[in-house]
Amino acid sequence: MLRAFAVRRDPGPLVTPPQLRECHGCGLFQIVPAMAANMRSDCERCGTPLRATRADPTGHCLALTFASLVLFAVLWLSMLMKVSTAGIVHETTILSGPAELVRHGLWPLAIAISFTTAFAPLIKFAGTLYVLVGLRMHTAPPNLRGVFIIARRMGTWAMLEVLLLGVFVAFTKLGDLVTIELGPAVYALAILTVVIVWAELSLDPQAVWEEIERRGQTHAPMPPVAPLEYRPGAAGCEECKLVCVPAEHDGRCPRCGARVHDRKPDSLNRTLALVIAGAVLYVPANVYPVLTVIQLGAGEPSTIMGGVEELVSSKMYPLALLVFFASVLVPLFKLIGLVSMISATALTGTAERAGVLLRQRTQLYFIVAWIGRWSMVDIFMESLLGALVQFGRAVTIDPGMGALAFCAVVIVTIFAAEAFDPRLMWDAAARNPHRQSLPSAAQRGGAPRVIPTG
């Protein structure tokens, strides 16, 4: 049994009851103790966060989400930049990038950019606002649980903070080619990025699920008292974190209705297939040109590494390092990291070998899952450059097929990280007794760490 300990600074009144949770980093079932506001509970074994409480778990996020929608409208409806050269003036909006890609026949790339910068953020903001406002109404609107699931899933694909970095890189690279004037959309994007992070930090998603449960909008009837004991066949829902026995509810979570699996189905095979696809796409992404800059009739295609070399020759060392890290190292790091985790899970001969550096490998998984989206900075930058710099014979920038292959690498590796189940590493090391039908005292595991966050 693991021991629980708490570090508190004047914790105040408790706002949550004790809850049984499964850690989705290592698979340990443990009791999250009753916590006060502004506390965080981490898994005792692998350190994965289990819950973070807030003094106002929904109110602040509601205000910030509404502000996000207003700023989002400003971003998409106002001018992004005004560029000029040789007496020609060109104004652009965020919509100009995808439109230019369609003109060059790169419509799959245009769809990917539009989804990650327009549709996914809009669904996330509107869905979150629908749920948070609905929970404050006397009669709650229908299907709060379904809308909240979709809104939370869109968080992976809403990449406005990455877009801001892409705008910065494009602005810096254009300095030697054209005269640039920033528009209201750039300032709205900068503020919006801060508001998004603030809203995410102020929300307690589990408090939302508990309120949805209290309002009676669950998939199936809930027990009057949440169980604090592990039961054979129990699993933690990945959407709402409720521990339930899915066989008792047709394979679904009784609270949110999502499919519940003991482990992600066919995780290793799906992850391996996606990693192989990403590795194959990584070659054309670095061989084919991503941009072609033509100035006064002269110019040549440029690959990702060619762009880095140009930045180095222009003595833009920090920007060259940023592009090299995001566009070359991060995809390679994700592929190598996922391969190492698959190998440690599937190819080790003994539980002792599988148990080497388990905690570190679990932390590596969450880093890989988080960092991959930042590779889109190069895609956003190329889209913006292609839209901004279209001045006929004076200077033009055209996106290339390499950008399409690189975007495919980013998307495939995101799916690969989502497909991998880090709990399998702990299973391979025989660290989850309930998987080997051991006594229930071992199955119950321990209790997590609780630390203050504010």
Side-chain angles (χ1 to χ4, degrees), residues 221-367:
M222 301 290 294
V225 179
L228 294 179
E229 291 285 329
Y230 174 86
R231 293 186 294 160
C237 175
E238 291 194 33
E239 299 295 346
C240 71
K241 313 307 179 188
L242 180 74
V243 173
C244 60
V245 180
E248 297 177 354
H249 305 280
D250 196 26
R252 294 186 177 273
C253 172
R255 181 159 68 183
C256 70
R259 286 285 180 186
V260 179
H261 304 279
D262 186 43
R263 295 294 182 262
K264 294 179 181 179
D266 205 18
S267 173
L268 291 180
N269 289 334
R270 290 192 298 127
T271 305
L272 181 59
L274 290 166
V275 166
I276 293 173
V280 171
L281 289 167
Y282 187 75
V283 176
N286 286 273
V287 171
Y288 285 98
V290 294
L291 284 177
T292 300
V293 181
I294 301 176
Q295 192 169 12
L296 299 177
E300 59 182 13
S302 174
T303 61
I304 292 175
M305 283 303 301
V308 174
E309 292 171 359
E310 291 174 7
L311 292 171
V312 171
S313 63
S314 301
K315 298 183 178 180
M316 298 181 182
Y317 302 119
L319 192 59
L321 184 62
L322 173 63
V323 174
F324 179 73
F325 177 78
S327 303
V328 179
L329 291 186
V330 167
L332 195 60
F333 168 76
K334 286 194 69 176
L335 292 172
I336 294 175
L338 287 169
V339 167
S340 68
M341 288 182 280
I342 293 172
S343 301
T345 304
L347 303 181
T348 49
T350 65
E352 289 75 15
R353 290 176 61 190
V356 176
L357 299 177
L358 263 178
R359 185 184 177 101
Q360 290 77 8
R361 280 191 271 129
T362 304
Q363 294 170 345
L364 173 64
Y365 166 75
F366 287 108
I367 292 173

Side-chain angles (χ1 to χ4, degrees), residues 74-375:
V74 175
L75 168 64
W76 278 93
L77 298 177
S78 60
M79 183 186 76
L80 178 71
M81 293 183 187
K82 180 187 292 185
V83 293
S84 59
T85 187
I88 306 174
V89 180
H90 188 193
E91 291 187 2
T92 59
T93 65
I94 294 293
L95 289 168
S96 303
E100 187 65 25
L101 291 171
V102 171
R103 192 176 70 84
H104 284 84
L106 299 175
W107 57 266
L109 192 58
I111 292 175
I113 292 175
S114 298
F115 180 73
T116 55
T117 61
F119 297 108
L122 180 60
I123 294 171
K124 178 184 176 182
F125 299 151
T128 303
L129 199 64
Y130 175 85
V131 173
L132 296 183
V133 171
L135 291 178
R136 291 173 175 265
M137 297 172 62
H138 179 70
T139 301
N143 200 24
L144 291 179
R145 55 185 175 83
V147 173
F148 195 57
I149 287 175
I150 294 174
R152 298 302 294 171
R153 288 179 179 175
M154 287 298 105
T156 302
W157 300 100
M159 301 183 184
L160 292 176
E161 66 275 25
V162 186
L163 175 62
L164 176 63
L165 191 56
V167 170
F168 169 75
V169 176
F171 176 80
T172 307
K173 291 193 70 169
L174 286 175
D176 295 335
L177 294 176
V178 294
T179 303
I180 313 170
E181 178 183 335
L182 298 179
V186 174
Y187 300 104
L189 178 60
I191 299 171
L192 177 58
T193 301
V194 176
V195 173
I196 289 172
V197 175
W198 190 3
E200 192 64 28
L201 292 175
S202 67
L203 179 67
D204 180 358
Q206 292 188 45
V208 175
W209 284 116
E210 289 163 4
E211 182 62 17
I212 290 175
E213 178 182 342
R214 191 185 70 81
R215 301 294 291 268
Q217 288 205 11
T218 57
H219 173 72
M222 301 290 294
V225 179
L228 294 179
E229 291 285 329
Y230 174 86
R231 293 186 294 160
C237 175
E238 291 194 33
E239 299 295 346
C240 71
K241 313 307 179 188
L242 180 74
V243 173
C244 60
V245 180
E248 297 177 354
H249 305 280
D250 196 26
R252 294 186 177 273
C253 172
R255 181 159 68 183
C256 70
R259 286 285 180 186
V260 179
H261 304 279
D262 186 43
R263 295 294 182 262
K264 294 179 181 179
D266 205 18
S267 173
L268 291 180
N269 289 334
R270 290 192 298 127
T271 305
L272 181 59
L274 290 166
V275 166
I276 293 173
V280 171
L281 289 167
Y282 187 75
V283 176
N286 286 273
V287 171
Y288 285 98
V290 294
L291 284 177
T292 300
V293 181
I294 301 176
Q295 192 169 12
L296 299 177
E300 59 182 13
S302 174
T303 61
I304 292 175
M305 283 303 301
V308 174
E309 292 171 359
E310 291 174 7
L311 292 171
V312 171
S313 63
S314 301
K315 298 183 178 180
M316 298 181 182
Y317 302 119
L319 192 59
L321 184 62
L322 173 63
V323 174
F324 179 73
F325 177 78
S327 303
V328 179
L329 291 186
V330 167
L332 195 60
F333 168 76
K334 286 194 69 176
L335 292 172
I336 294 175
L338 287 169
V339 167
S340 68
M341 288 182 280
I342 293 172
S343 301
T345 304
L347 303 181
T348 49
T350 65
E352 289 75 15
R353 290 176 61 190
V356 176
L357 299 177
L358 263 178
R359 185 184 177 101
Q360 290 77 8
R361 280 191 271 129
T362 304
Q363 294 170 345
L364 173 64
Y365 166 75
F366 287 108
I367 292 173
V368 166
W370 174 80
I371 201 172
R373 64 208 307 270
W374 290 92
S375 294

